[in-house]
Amino acid sequence: KEFGKNRCRIFVPEDREGELKRATFYQKQRILDALASDRFDVWYQPIMRLSDRSIAHYEALVRLREPDGRMVLPGAFIQAAERHGLVGSIDRVVAGKTFVCQAGLKKRGRIVSFSMNLSGRDLADAGMASFMKRSILESGADPGQLIFEITETAAIQDMDRALDFIRQMKALGCRFSLDDFGVGFTSFVYLRELGVDFIKIDGSFIRKLHERQEDRSVVRAIVQMAREMGIQTVAEFVEQAETMKLLTDFGVDYGQGFLIGKPAPFGSASSITIGRQELG
Ligand code: C2E
Ligand code: MG
Ligand code: MG
Ligand code: MG
């Protein structure tokens, strides 16, 4: 159709590949442009301690701000960034901005903890540990109030290097969390090898907790296993009051989700106050 009506053209795979290359190039160029013009913003979502309903920390979540002001969610670019070797640059920006935010709050007398996501690829990045140490030091952030979430978007390729990164950051006092536990790349092997402080139970087990017996069994089993290992548990996708009550009953330590608060630029009052009012 592209070449006009009443025509017949033979499809050759090269044409299609050309299209695909253009598409991926566009993604790559878009990411590079956003890096060059400082259009990766960081939004923060509260994580609540379920025992007393206090906010324990905030998770940093990246957004790509288009020149027209539209905010693009990470689902649209993180995997492309991983493929093109650019996720480390994005994660450096997010970490740097989060450290500055934490340090700024500290100067004003507020001790606030933050977690940030690291791609599996970052853990194989030889310069990552020194970058983190240097920018924590330069920003004045408190490493004891920082948590790295190892996300499921890419598998850890070099376990020795990953362990070395974790060891170096733990020596500073940083903590680690295994994200999206139960699906994707995260596995019991990682749990055994990485020595994490938190497990984040994947949202797919949480969303319909009150409806699905299977999900309740999975969550209770994870809590028991984590307890025996001295690991704290976090549930993502807490969207309903019923879910929150069940999680509290099961002994899950922390909750995160739209019921508690949506991601927002730090300091914008919106989410947290609404979440807490709804909880009563
Ligand atoms: P994640 O680390 O599991 O983060 C939780 C995601 O679930 C966030 O999506 C958050 O907005 C969303 N969420 C939280 N509570 C609820 C809820 O109650 N309902 C629903 N429907 N969604 C909820 P977001 O911000 O789109 O991020 C998606 C994923 O992208 C993250 O999943 C993480 O794997 C990755 N990501 C985000 N920021 C970064 C980053 O700076 N670096 C890297 N490497 N990955 C990132
Ligand atoms: Mg996360
Ligand atoms: Mg998660
Ligand atoms: Mg998730």
Side-chain angles (χ1 to χ4, degrees):
K1 278 187 185 162
E2 202 180 310
F3 295 94
K5 282 184 180 172
N6 292 322
R7 274 170 205 242
C8 176
R9 271 182 65 104
I10 295 170
F11 175 83
V12 284
E14 282 85 333
D15 288 351
R16 181 94 196 105
E17 265 173 38
E19 267 171 46
L20 287 175
K21 274 195 197 115
R22 272 197 302 279
T24 40
F25 174 74
Y26 179 56
Q27 281 283 7
K28 182 179 182 182
Q29 197 53 49
R30 221 162 123 182
I31 294 167
L32 286 169
D33 289 348
L35 281 166
S37 49
D38 189 25
R39 283 188 287 101
F40 284 105
D41 288 352
V42 191
W43 283 14
Y44 296 93
Q45 186 179 26
I47 293 174
M48 180 180 275
R49 191 177 287 106
L50 293 176
S51 59
D52 64 2
R53 295 185 172 189
S54 63
I55 301 301
H57 63 269
Y58 292 83
E59 178 175 9
L61 295 161
V62 71
R63 270 89 182 97
L64 192 161
R65 182 167 28 84
E66 288 285 18
D68 64 9
R70 212 160 40 86
M71 289 305 217
V72 182
L73 293 172
F77 57 82
I78 287 288
Q79 280 179 345
E82 282 173 340
R83 269 201 310 280
H84 295 297
L86 294 171
V87 77
S89 305
I90 298 174
D91 290 346
R92 281 170 168 82
V93 169
V94 173
K97 290 187 177 182
T98 302
F99 299 160
V100 166
C101 178
Q102 206 268 346
L105 289 161
K106 200 173 84 177
K107 272 184 209 129
R108 283 176 273 141
R110 280 186 69 193
I111 304 295
V112 184
S113 296
F114 289 95
S115 69
M116 66 215 80
N117 295 283
L118 288 182
S119 159
R121 306 221 173 190
D122 294 331
L123 300 175
D125 177 337
M128 193 54 90
S130 54
F131 169 85
M132 290 294 176
K133 287 188 204 171
R134 196 174 58 243
S135 53
I136 289 172
L137 200 72
E138 282 170 4
S139 64
D142 179 353
Q145 309 298 334
L146 301 172
I147 301 161
F148 293 106
E149 298 194 3
I150 301 168
T151 60
E152 59 140 14
T153 43
I156 296 174
Q157 280 147 351
D158 184 339
M159 190 56 97
D160 287 338
R161 194 167 262 171
L163 289 171
D164 188 52
F165 174 83
I166 293 172
R167 189 185 50 72
Q168 291 192 56
M169 300 315 295
K170 277 193 162 185
L172 288 184
C174 299
R175 288 172 294 168
F176 282 84
S177 183
L178 197 51
D179 209 347
D180 303 310
F181 188 75
V183 297
F185 292 107
T186 57
S187 76
F188 293 105
V189 177
Y190 287 178
L191 201 55
R192 187 183 65 198
E193 302 298 324
L194 299 178
V196 295
D197 306 277
F198 304 92
I199 289 173
K200 292 186 83 168
I201 307 166
D202 189 70
S204 61
F205 295 108
I206 307 299
R207 267 190 136 139
K208 296 191 172 158
L209 198 66
H210 59 286
E211 289 172 27
R212 300 218 292 234
Q213 176 58 48
E214 294 83 357
D215 291 348
R216 293 197 290 275
S217 301
V218 169
V219 170
R220 278 196 299 253
I222 293 175
V223 169
Q224 188 185 338
M225 176 185 64
R227 267 207 192 127
E228 287 179 20
M229 298 177 86
I231 298 172
Q232 295 197 291
T233 45
V234 186
E236 332 173 291
F237 284 65
V238 181
E239 292 176 338
Q240 300 178 48
E242 266 174 293
T243 307
M244 191 147 116
K245 184 175 180 314
L246 282 171
L247 293 168
T248 311
D249 292 346
F250 293 168
V252 173
D253 299 296
Y254 305 92
Q256 172 183 18
F258 293 172
L259 176 69
I260 294 161
K262 288 190 172 171
F266 197 85
S268 81
S270 61
S271 52
I272 303 133
T273 42
I274 294 166
R276 300 204 68 162
Q277 273 164 12
E278 281 170 1
L279 297 170

